[in-house]
Structures are given as C-alpha cells and as structure tokens.
C-alpha cells in the first residue's frame, strides 16, 4: 500500500510555511531544534578543525565531512518543519472530526423531526379535535402527552386554530391562550413543514426556540383548520452532545453556529457564550485566529445534508482550541507498549501513513551512512594519521549523538502520528455507536406510537379481523411506510400471532403467517404502552432472509387494557447500518468499519470480505468494554499492520438506559498501514547499543570492525577490508549472473581511473540460503580483499567500534571448509551481546573463483522485466 490516508491533512498547506508561526507553542519541538542546531555547529567545528590542523591527513575524509554537514543542515530543517507540521495537522484533524460531528448529528436528529411533524399533523384523532368534530381537551392533551412520552426530544406540543388561538398544549408551566407569531401564517400558507429558530411567544420562557410546525386539514373536507407545533428540546439535546463528546480536558470548546457565525450553543458558555460572533475556518488551513484577545486553531464544517434535508440554513459545527494549549497534551508512550517487531514493522510503512516521517527516516539513514563511511575510511590508520585521532573521536562521538537525536525525533514524530490516528479512530467508533443508538431510539418510539392508532385498536379488538378491516389496516400501514422509508415492512398481527396486514413485497407468503411464539409471548406480556420488544439481530423471512431488528409493540383494546395484537416494524438494517458506518468514516481511505455484538458477530460491515453474520476476528479484550467506553491499539489484521479501535454503545436518552432494553453493540474501526514484512523490519538500534569496554584502547592491538545487520542479527567485518557503503538503489540488476547469490552489479568511481564494476552478493543468501528482503534501509558494503572487490548486501548499517583481542574468540561451531563464513564471535557489552564476525578470506574464497567472470569482461544484459531499462542501466550500457 503506497498511498497515504486521504484525510483533511492532504488539504493543508506545506509545512515550511507554518513552522515559525507555531514553533513557539511547541516546547518539545523547540528543544529538538536547539539540539539539532548544537550538533550542526559541532559538525562545522570538526570540519574547520580538520582543515586547519591536519589538512593533508584529513584530505580523504573532508568531502565526507562536508557531505555530512550539508546533509545534517537539510535534515535539521526538514525534521523541525515536519514535527511542527504534523503536530498542527493532527490537532486540526482531531478538532475537525468533532466539528463535523456536531453539525452532522444535529442535522440527522432534526431530519427525524421533519418526519414527525408531517406524520402527527395527519393524526385522525388530533384532526378531529381541531376540526371541532370532537371536543375533549383532556383526551387530546392525553394523546399529545402519550406522544411526548414516546418522543422525549420534545418539551412542548401545541395545537392552534387558524387565528393563532391555542386549543391545547402539554406544558403547564407556560400557559398560552394566543400566538401572534408570524410562523402561524407562514405555516398555514405552506404545504410542507416550517422550521423556526428564534424568540417566539409560543415559548415565552426561552430566548430562542426550535419549532417545527405543519398545517392540519379537516378529515372530511380537506380544508385547512389549524397548526401543529412540535417544540424541540434544543438546549437539552445540545447539552447531551457536548457532555458525551466535548473535550474532557477542557482544552477546546465545541460550538454550534448560525449562518452569521454567531454561537447558537456552546459546550462552555462561560468561555464562549451564545450570541458571540467567532472567526470560522471553513477551508481547514492552519492559520491562527483571534477571538477575545486569544489566538485559536479553528475548524468549521457546514452541513452536507441528510437524505435531502439540508438542516437549518447556515448552521455550522465548530471546535476552537487556544494555540497556547493545543500542543500540551501529554500522551502515553504508545510505541513502548507495542511488541518491538510490530513497532518496527509499522514504522517501515511510514510512507503510507506519514510521508514526512518517511522522508525524515530516509534522510537520517543517509546521514548515518555518511558517518559510518567516514569511520571506516579512517579505520586502522596509524603513523601520520595519528594527528586525526582527536578529530576521528569527535566524528564518532558526534555521529553517535546525531543518530540518537534522529532516533528520538523520529520516535516523537511517529508517536504523534500514531497517537493521533488512534484517537481519531476511537472518536470515529464513538460517533458510530452514537449514530446507531440515536437512530434505533427513533425506531422504539415509532412502534409504540403507531400501536396507539385508534383504528388498529378497534379492529383488532374483534374476535376475527375481516378482509375489509385487513385492507383498511394495510392502507394505514402503507401511508405510514411512505413517510418512514427506513422500514421495508410494517405488519400487524392479532392476539394469536397471525399477520393480518402488511406492507412490502411477497404479501402472499406473509399474510396469514404467524410470528414466532417467543415474540408473541413477549409482546403479550408487555405491561404498558411505554414498553416494546425487539427481536434479536438475526435473519428473518420478513426481510428476505437477511439479518435485521424487528421492533414490536402491543396493540391494546380501546376500552380496556387487554392486548389484542401487535405491530411489527422491520428495520431496513442492511443499508441503514452501513450508511451509519460510512458516515462515521467520512471518506477516510484504508479504513474499514463494523458493528459487532459482544462475541464479535458482525451486524454490519464496510468490508465486503466480512459479511453480516460472520465473525470478526479481533482481540476479545477490545470487545470487553463498559457501556460508553472506548479503546484502541495496534494489531495485525489480514496480514497488515493496523490500528484497531472499538467503542461500546451506551444508549440515547431513555433508550437502552432506563427502558429495560439491552442489546450491546460495539463499533469497530480498522485502519491498515501496510503489509506485515516477515523478516524485513528495521532493527532496533537500542537493542544493539554497544558499550565502551574499559580494556579497549590500552594498546595498539585493538581491532576496528564495521558492524551491520543481516536477518535481524548483528555481524561484523574487519573495517580494514571495508571501503564504504552505498544505498541499495544504486545496484543495477542484470541477468548475466549464473549464481543465485549474485543480485546485480555496482559501478565504482575510481580517482583518476576509469569506472569499474563489481558484483553484488546477497550475504543473507550466502548464510541461510534464502534471498534477503529489500527495504528502505538496505545498504551495499563495498568489501576488498587482495586484488578483489565485491559488494555485499546488508539489511542496515550499525557502527564502526573497536574491540580488544580478548573480546574476539573463535566460535566452537566453526568448521573446516569454505562454506562456514563465521569463524569468530565478538563478545560485546560484557558478553551480553555476541557479534558474528565474517571471515573475509573465506567469504572471498567462496564468492570469487574461476566460475565468476569479472563484470567488466561481459556484455551487460539487464534483467528482462518487460519494461525499458532504467536510465542508470542505459548509462552503464553506454559506458
């Protein structure tokens, strides 16, 4: 996988344009910059010292030192810029996800209100009352309160006549007789709902109210007779959103804005009160914005609409975080908690999830190679070269300090990216379970309200439902189903469980069939109109054999409390659940999302390879969460390194919290970063850190070795035989080699001589008989013995240390014969680390013999890959 995650980060301007702006607020990055500058100055001093004190002796290493200093200067700029940029991007991405959530969840909620007011305005009982066909105010108020008991998002419901006179209301704390609000006239003249958010005499105790109104018609003549007003409990709803998803540390503030960028609702009203005008950041660029004398990072999102409903005009979700606290979050060291092979394997895919990190790692490897080369070039030098002793020691010490700083800086950048990705995945799963609970809350409301339909109650009270009554019931259900399209079928059954009316397809197989006995018993024992029953998530013949939830409510006789039947509503689970997952992902690539049960059974999936009904193989601890809790980690999934995050549903309002219904659902997000590289991961330098032996340097008999990694093991070759190392990318593939350990040729530039070519051999193949994996860390060491020179592939360079004679022992496993390349072992770190020393004479005896012609003597034939030779091969052929 070579493309990185398409997120809001891709829209942000390049890092170099913002480093100076944000660096003063990033203490850790500022400290890193200072350390880099100190090391950069040290490289300059070393180079100047060499030029002044021993220019002749240093002639061979001065070009290397200049390259080191130049590379270090470039790395310093790139590293600081990337650290600052990534931190800014991660903060903006985190607050952006929350800002998008604010507006999305509000719009989804209000969409349901538009459906509610449209349906309730046609309620026959209410229309009869407004038309004057019935006159019981108390009976009507009772019916409205029954509705409010089901749909608890409303704090007031009002019926008015065409003159604005209040006929009935349910809130006794603000008694009304008349309204002069213009929304009355506007609603009477509209053939759809009217959405109003402002001060209104319909809700005199509130500064602003969110009212959904719809005109009502005479049930017999069709004349306009009045207005229904549903007053949404806006303040309570926003408080719930802020409490559940606001910043628990209080560093940022979550806001809902109107079209004029004024605050409608604030998670912290003392900090940024409603009515305040705030700056917005629609395009998501990392600019600082001033509000009330303080600078903020801001993300703003307008509504994208939901199922054709655009949301209130101009409304926006926004999150603001002061820049002086934006980067102060102390995150746990996630990297140290990972298995080393997983951490290093994930880091090997830095190009896919953090391109700047990959660039920094590449630059750091270049610096490491330059320092390593400088050390091997001067290894074993004596006599006049003793003048270089101090400079060489400084090179070694400064190189080690540089490598340590690079490693720590890369660790910090990697940690920033990883923790940010894990938090984003956690919040995404939290959003998904919230969307699910809010959606299914509406389903529990619908079934209970429709069960109160008087026509259904009267017809089912008869001993047997006639064909005419069945047709009437089906007509009522069809009218409801046209308004509520999240259901594929609504059906009604009698007290014996026989389905007497239904909407949807395949009616001939549905009508007359019976619901299962378990469901019938559960519905028959429901004690009140507030209770409902939900079937387990499983395949149903009422949903074409697919998995779904079916919500049931008891239908009771009008004149008594006896259960005379029930209503079932078949949730269109397949598209609806998947749409919630897709909405939560917000277009993020390389992410898959699931709803699963506690035991990992899949309820919905965005991964075609893992269908509904299957089991998601995931660590069981990720599913053992308390209600409302979330967790994230790094795992191996489908042969990929991946972040996994889970959140457990916690219910919404009374749904799953106090209504007696329990059905735990876990949202899971998996974000993959790249294939597991068996044997190809980078080696941990910290695990192979060499300690200085006190016995070394006591006499002139100490030996210097060039150390390197192959197949996760540390090897050494006497430094006197090593000329330098070059990146594997310089190797030219060719098909002329007859031996499998020959992997290509390498061109060497000889001072004052023509270009020479050497064979490159795979050391891993020579040792274990299988090809080495090529990674971004792969290097080719140029090794010389006598008149012969070869290239030797290594996984990664390590160091050029000195060892005493006493540390070098002959291995007891060395056999007499050319095939045993390791003849000695170096005991480092007091014997805690064993380094395998390659016997150079055996190595050359094995690879250089009469069957291997010199590459200069042969016609170069690039490997036939079906494509044109690369430019470097063409140049080599021309030479």
């Amino acid at each position: 996988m070579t493309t990185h995650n398409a997120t809001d980060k891709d829209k942000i301007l390049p890092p170099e344009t913002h480093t100076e702006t944000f660096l003063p607020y990033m203490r850790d990055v500022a400290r890193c910059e200072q350390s880099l500058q100190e090391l950069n100055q040290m490289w300059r001093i070393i180079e100047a010292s060499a030029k002044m004190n021993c220019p002749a002796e240093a002639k061979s290493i001065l070009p290397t030192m200049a390259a080191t200093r130049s590379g270090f200067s470039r790395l310093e700029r790139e590293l600081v810029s990337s650290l600052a940029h990534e931190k800014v991007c991660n903060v903006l991405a985190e607050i952006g996800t929350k800002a998008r959530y604010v507006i999305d969840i509000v719009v989804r909620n209000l969409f349901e209100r538009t459906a509610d007011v449209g349906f309730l305005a046609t309620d026959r009982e209410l229309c009869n009352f407004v038309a004057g066909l019935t006159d019981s105010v108390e009976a009507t108020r009772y019916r409205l309160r029954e509705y409010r008991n089901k749909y608890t998002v409303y704090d007031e419901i009002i019926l008015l006549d065409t003159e604005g006179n209040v006929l009935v209301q349910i809130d006794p704390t603000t008694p009304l007789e008349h309204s002069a609000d213009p929304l009355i006239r506007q609603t009477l003249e509209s053939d759809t709902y009217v959405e109003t958010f402002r001060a209104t005499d319909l809700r005199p105790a509130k500064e602003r109210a969110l009212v959904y109104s719809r005109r009502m018609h005479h049930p017999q003549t069709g004349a306009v007779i009045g207005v229904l007003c549903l007053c949404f409990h806006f303040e309570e709803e926003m408080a719930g959103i802020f409490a559940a998803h606001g910043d628990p540390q209080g560093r940022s503030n979550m806001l809902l804005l109107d079209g004029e960028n004024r605050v409608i609702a604030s998670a912290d009203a003392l900090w940024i009160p409603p009515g305040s005008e705030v700056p917005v950041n629609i395009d998501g660029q990392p600019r600082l914005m001033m509000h009330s004398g303080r600078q903020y990072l801001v993300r703003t999102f307008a509504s994208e609409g939901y199922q054709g409903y655009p949301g209130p005009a101009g409304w926006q979700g926004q999150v603001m975080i002061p820049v002086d606290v934006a980067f102060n979050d102390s995150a746990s060291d996630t990297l140290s908690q990972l298995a080393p092979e997983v951490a290093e394997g994930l880091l090997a895919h830095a190009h896919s999830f953090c391109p700047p990190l990959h660039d920094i790692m590449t630059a750091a490897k270049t610096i490491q190679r330059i320092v390593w080369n400088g050390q091997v070039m001067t290894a074993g030098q004596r006599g006049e070269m003793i003048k270089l002793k101090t400079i060489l020691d400084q090179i070694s010490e400064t190189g080690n300090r540089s490598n340590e700083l690079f490693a720590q800086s890369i660790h910090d950048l990697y940690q920033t990216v990883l923790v940010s990705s894990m938090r984003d995945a956690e919040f995404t799963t939290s959003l998904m379970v919230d969307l699910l609970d809010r959606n299914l809350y509406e389903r529990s409301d619908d079934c209970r309200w429709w069960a109160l339909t008087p026509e259904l109650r009267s017809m089912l009270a008869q001993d047997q439902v006639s064909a005419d009554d069945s047709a009437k019931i089906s007509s009522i259900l069809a009218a409801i189903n046209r308004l509520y399209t999240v259901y594929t079928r609504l059906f009604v059954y009698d007290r014996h469980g026989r389905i007497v009316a239904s909407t949807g397809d395949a009616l001939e197989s549905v009508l007359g069939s019976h619901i299962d006995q378990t469901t019938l018993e559960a519905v028959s024992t429901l004690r009140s109109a507030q209770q409902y029953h939900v079937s387990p998530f499983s395949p149903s013949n009422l949903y074409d054999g697919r998995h779904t939830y079916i919500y049931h409510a008891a239908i009771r006789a009008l004149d008594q409390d006896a259960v005379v039947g029930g209503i079932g509503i078949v949730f269109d689970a397949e598209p609806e659940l998947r749409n919630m997952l897709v909405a939560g992902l917000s277009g993020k690539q390389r992410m898959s999302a699931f709803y699963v049960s506690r035991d990992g059974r899949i309820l919905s999936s965005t991964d075609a390879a893992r269908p509904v009904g299957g089991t998601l193989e995931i660590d069981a601890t990720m599913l053992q969460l308390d209600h409302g809790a979330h967790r994230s980690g790094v795992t191996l999934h489908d042969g990929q390194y991946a972040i996994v995050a889970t959140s457990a549903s916690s219910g919404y309002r009374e749904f799953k919290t106090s209504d007696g219904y329990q059905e735990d659902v876990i949202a899971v997000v998996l974000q993959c970063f790249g294939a597991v590289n068996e044997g190809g991961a980078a080696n941990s330098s910290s695990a192979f850190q060499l300690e200085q032996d006190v016995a070394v340097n006591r006499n002139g008999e100490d030996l210097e070795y060039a150390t390197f990694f192959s197949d996760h093991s540390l090897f050494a070759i006497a430094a006197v035989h090593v000329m330098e190392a070059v990146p594997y990318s310089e190797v030219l593939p060719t098909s002329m080699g007859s031996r499998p350990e020959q992997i290509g040729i390498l061109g060497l530039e000889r001072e004052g001589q023509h270009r020479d070519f050497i064979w490159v051999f795979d050391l891993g193949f020579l040792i274990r008989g299988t090809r080495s994996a090529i990674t971004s860390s792969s290097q080719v060491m140029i090794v010389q013995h006598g008149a012969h020179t070869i290239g030797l592939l290594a996984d990664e360079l390590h160091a050029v240390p000195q060892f005493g004679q006493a540390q070098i022992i002959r291995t007891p496993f060395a056999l007499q014969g050319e095939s045993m390349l390791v003849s000695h072992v170096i005991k480092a770190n007091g014997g805690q680390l064993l380094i395998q020393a390659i016997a150079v004479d055996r190595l050359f005896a094995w690879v250089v013999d009469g069957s291997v012609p010199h590459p200069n003597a042969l016609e170069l034939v690039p490997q036939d890959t079906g494509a044109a030779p690369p430019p470097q091969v063409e140049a080599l052929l021309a030479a």
Side-chain angles (χ1 to χ4, degrees):
M1 238 169 249
T2 58
T3 58
H4 68 284
N5 193 18
T7 66
D8 295 330
K9 293 182 183 181
D10 302 320
K11 307 172 186 177
I12 294 176
L13 296 177
E16 59 273 10
T17 60
H18 304 290
T19 303
E20 293 184 2
T21 301
F22 295 102
L23 192 58
Y25 305 101
M26 302 174 180
R27 290 191 292 271
D28 54 344
V29 181
R31 288 194 298 268
C32 176
E33 182 186 43
Q34 182 179 358
S35 299
L36 286 167
Q37 290 174 346
E38 291 173 356
L39 282 173
N40 195 354
Q41 187 65 26
M42 182 62 69
W43 283 116
R44 291 178 179 273
I45 292 173
I46 293 172
E47 183 180 5
S49 298
K51 288 180 178 179
M52 289 187 297
N53 297 325
C54 46
E57 293 82 356
K59 180 181 179 181
S60 62
I61 66 169
L62 283 175
T64 297
M65 293 179 65
T68 300
R69 178 176 52 79
S70 175
F72 197 95
S73 297
R74 180 172 60 87
L75 179 60
E76 176 191 338
R77 294 190 300 270
E78 292 180 353
L79 182 55
V80 172
S81 180
S82 293
L83 281 168
H85 178 68
E86 201 64 33
K87 282 179 173 288
V88 172
C89 289
N90 289 334
V91 170
L92 287 174
E94 183 175 346
I95 66 176
T97 299
K98 294 186 176 183
R100 180 188 283 115
Y101 165 75
V102 172
I103 188 63
D104 283 355
I105 204 67
V106 167
V107 168
R108 282 172 172 264
N109 193 318
L110 299 186
F111 165 76
E112 299 283 353
R113 313 295 60 94
T114 65
D116 287 350
V117 72
F119 177 71
L120 192 59
T122 64
D123 183 85
R124 181 173 293 273
E125 295 298 303
L126 301 182
C127 289
N128 285 339
F129 173 77
V130 176
L133 300 180
T134 59
D135 58 4
S136 176
V137 173
E138 287 306 314
T140 303
R141 181 177 289 113
Y142 176 80
R143 184 160 181 79
L144 291 179
R145 285 179 174 167
E146 279 290 294
Y147 188 84
R148 164 62 175 79
N149 290 340
K150 311 298 183 295
Y151 300 85
T152 56
V153 294
Y154 301 111
D155 59 1
E156 173 70 295
I157 304 176
I158 308 172
L159 296 179
L160 306 98
D161 64 17
T162 56
E163 300 301 321
N165 297 310
V166 175
L167 302 177
V168 64
Q169 66 179 117
I170 64 171
D171 183 6
T173 63
T174 56
L176 302 174
E177 293 184 359
H178 179 81
S179 173
D181 195 301
L183 76 82
I184 306 298
R185 180 54 48 193
Q186 182 184 358
T187 305
L188 291 171
E189 294 174 354
S190 174
D191 59 359
T192 184
Y193 68 90
V194 174
E195 187 176 60
T196 306
F197 183 68
R198 53 172 168 75
T200 172
D201 61 6
L202 290 168
R203 300 297 286 148
K206 293 188 174 184
E207 292 184 6
R208 292 171 300 181
L210 182 55
V211 180
Y212 288 85
S213 55
R214 182 93 186 222
R215 69 187 185 188
M216 303 176 71
H217 297 266
H218 196 289
Q220 298 173 359
T221 67
V224 177
I225 55 176
V227 173
L228 165 69
C229 292
L230 294 179
C231 301
F232 183 63
H233 204 331
F234 178 75
E235 298 81 7
E236 182 181 77
E237 177 64 19
M238 294 309 302
I241 293 174
F242 294 149
H245 302 291
D247 186 351
Q249 298 178 343
R251 297 182 306 129
S252 64
N253 200 2
M254 185 179 284
L255 309 169
L256 184 66
L257 311 180
D258 63 15
E260 297 179 348
N261 302 333
R262 292 191 178 276
V263 177
I264 301 171
S266 171
D268 189 337
L270 295 178
W271 180 1
I272 304 178
S276 303
E277 185 175 353
V278 293
V280 298
N281 185 15
I282 293 290
D283 59 8
Q285 290 302 317
R287 59 175 70 92
L288 291 180
M289 295 184 165
M290 185 70 71
H291 176 67
S292 297
R294 198 174 187 185
Q295 290 182 307
Y296 290 84
L297 281 168
V298 179
R299 286 306 310 270
T300 314
F301 283 91
S303 169
E304 297 180 355
Y306 178 65
Q307 295 195 12
Y309 169 65
W315 281 22
Q316 306 164 93
Q318 178 159 303
V319 173
M320 302 173 64
I321 184 168
V323 67
D324 53 304
V325 300
F327 310 107
N328 293 348
D329 187 27
S330 57
S332 60
D333 190 352
T334 304
L335 283 177
S336 64
Q337 300 171 15
L338 300 178
E341 64 274 13
V342 174
E344 296 296 343
L346 185 58
L347 186 60
H349 290 282
H351 62 280
S352 68
F353 69 98
C354 181
L357 176 58
H358 177 258
D359 295 340
I360 296 301
M361 291 169 59
T362 301
K365 293 297 182 186
T366 301
I367 302 298
Q368 180 190 28
R369 183 176 63 253
I370 291 174
V371 174
W372 193 88
N373 282 341
Q375 293 171 334
V376 298
M377 287 171 63
T378 57
Q381 299 291 344
R382 297 292 183 267
E384 292 298 320
M385 294 295 287
I386 200 66
K387 297 178 181 179
L388 280 176
K389 180 61 177 175
T390 302
I391 292 176
L392 295 178
D393 289 343
Q394 290 177 334
I395 290 176
S396 178
E397 179 183 351
T398 306
N400 290 335
R401 287 181 58 195
S402 300
N403 288 336
E404 290 173 4
L405 182 58
F406 299 155
Q408 184 59 48
S409 300
I410 289 173
H411 178 282
D412 292 344
L413 181 56
Y414 182 25
Q415 177 83 2
T416 297
V417 175
L418 187 61
V419 170
S420 176
S421 298
M422 292 171 68
R423 283 182 175 171
D424 182 64
E426 280 187 18
F427 189 82
T428 298
T429 57
S430 178
L431 168 60
M432 288 172 177
V433 290
D434 198 10
L435 289 175
L436 178 69
D437 286 340
R438 287 168 174 271
N439 191 298
L440 299 185
Y441 158 82
E442 304 285 348
R443 314 292 68 91
S444 69
D445 294 344
D446 290 346
C447 72
R448 290 179 294 164
W449 174 247
W450 297 334
L452 297 180
T453 304
E455 291 88 345
L456 303 184
R457 299 174 69 180
S458 61
M459 285 184 275
L460 283 175
Q462 304 173 31
D463 291 337
Q464 187 171 356
V465 178
S466 66
D468 288 344
D469 287 345
S470 178
K472 291 177 182 177
I473 295 174
S474 293
S475 178
I476 294 171
L477 297 180
I480 298 173
N481 213 164
R482 282 193 295 270
L483 289 173
Y484 293 82
T485 57
V486 297
Y487 305 110
T488 58
R489 186 186 304 279
L490 309 180
F491 61 95
V492 167
Y493 46 92
D494 61 21
R495 70 192 72 194
H496 305 295
R498 185 174 67 89
I499 298 177
V500 299
S502 175
T503 64
D505 300 329
L507 292 179
E508 64 281 357
S509 62
V510 172
L511 294 177
S513 64
H514 287 73
I515 65 171
D516 63 276
Q517 189 63 30
T518 300
T519 299
L520 180 61
E521 291 176 359
V523 173
S524 300
T525 55
L526 294 176
R527 296 189 300 275
S528 72
Q530 286 299 104
Q531 294 184 318
Y532 61 96
H533 170 74
V534 187
S535 66
F537 191 84
S538 59
S540 173
N541 293 333
L542 298 172
Y543 192 53
D544 297 329
R546 295 172 292 168
H547 290 70
T548 189
Y549 293 115
I550 300 179
Y551 286 74
H552 296 262
I555 298 176
R556 302 174 188 275
L558 284 170
D559 56 351
Q560 53 184 333
D561 199 36
V563 174
V564 295
I567 183 171
I569 57 178
V570 182
F571 181 52
D572 195 3
E574 188 172 83
E576 294 296 327
L577 293 183
R578 191 177 189 281
N579 287 343
M580 295 177 213
L581 295 177
V582 171
L585 293 179
S586 299
K588 295 172 181 145
Q589 297 181 0
R590 297 186 293 109
M591 266 192 177
S592 54
F594 308 84
Y595 286 128
V596 301
S597 61
R598 285 285 187 184
D599 58 1
R601 186 168 52 92
I602 297 173
L603 314 183
S604 184
S605 167
T606 63
D607 184 354
R610 287 176 168 79
V612 175
T615 299
L616 181 64
E617 295 181 0
I618 184 175
D619 186 349
T621 60
M622 299 296 291
L623 303 178
Q624 296 169 1
L625 301 172
D626 293 335
H627 293 141
H630 46 76
R631 183 177 299 170
S632 62
V634 178
T635 187
L636 303 183
H637 174 73
D638 284 350
Q640 300 258 328
Y641 297 106
I643 282 176
V644 57
T646 58
S647 287
S649 60
S650 59
Y652 171 64
R653 304 183 75 87
E654 68 279 359
F655 178 69
K656 289 187 179 181
T657 61
S658 60
D659 62 2
Y661 174 53
Q662 288 294 328
E663 175 77 4
D664 291 343
V665 175
I666 310 291
V668 182
V669 161
L670 287 159
Q671 181 179 6
C672 295
F673 290 124
V676 174
N677 194 348
E678 299 292 349
N683 301 282
S684 174
S685 297
S686 60
F688 296 92
Q689 187 70 40
L690 296 178
E691 302 171 1
Q692 183 66 44
D693 193 292
V694 295
V696 174
N697 297 326
R698 286 184 177 176
N699 53 55
E701 298 180 357
D702 298 324
L703 300 178
E704 290 174 286
Y705 279 83
T707 57
F708 56 93
F709 292 100
S710 181
D711 195 29
H712 301 297
S713 296
L714 192 58
F715 289 85
I717 290 181
V720 68
H721 294 289
V722 181
M723 299 171 59
E724 63 175 320
V726 299
Y728 175 78
S729 58
E730 295 188 15
V731 175
L732 304 173
T734 177
S735 61
M736 62 185 177
S738 60
R739 295 166 58 174
E741 61 267 28
Q742 295 172 244
I743 58 175
I745 58 175
L746 186 66
L748 300 181
E749 294 291 345
R750 303 288 192 184
E751 185 177 356
Q753 301 181 22
H754 67 281
R755 195 179 193 190
D756 197 9
F757 301 103
I758 61 172
W759 285 111
V760 178
F761 292 87
D762 183 352
L763 177 62
F765 189 92
L766 291 172
I767 293 175
R768 64 179 180 272
T770 58
R771 281 289 179 94
S772 298
I774 303 300
T775 71
S776 59
S777 299
S778 296
Q779 308 284 328
V780 175
M781 299 180 299
I782 300 172
V783 183
Q784 192 173 44
H785 181 62
H788 300 287
T789 304
I790 64 170
L792 206 59
L793 176 65
D795 293 342
E796 188 176 354
L797 303 177
H798 180 247
V800 187
Q802 285 183 306
F803 298 107
Q805 292 282 2
Q807 294 177 269
I808 305 170
I809 60 174
R810 187 173 183 83
T811 174
F813 303 105
L815 301 176
Q816 298 299 321
E818 295 179 339
S819 62
M820 198 65 183
L821 300 183
V822 178
S823 59
H824 291 76
V825 172
I826 302 172
K827 298 173 64 177
N829 297 351
Q832 298 300 310
L833 176 62
L834 298 181
I835 305 173
Q836 302 176 72
I838 300 293
V840 175
D841 54 347
R842 293 189 177 189
L843 172 67
F844 276 77
W846 178 252
V847 301
V848 181
D849 55 34
S851 65
V852 182
H854 193 280
N856 284 335
L858 294 179
E859 179 183 0
L860 302 181
V861 182
Q863 291 181 346
D864 184 9
T865 61
Q872 63 265 37
V873 175
E874 291 183 339
L876 183 59
L877 290 171

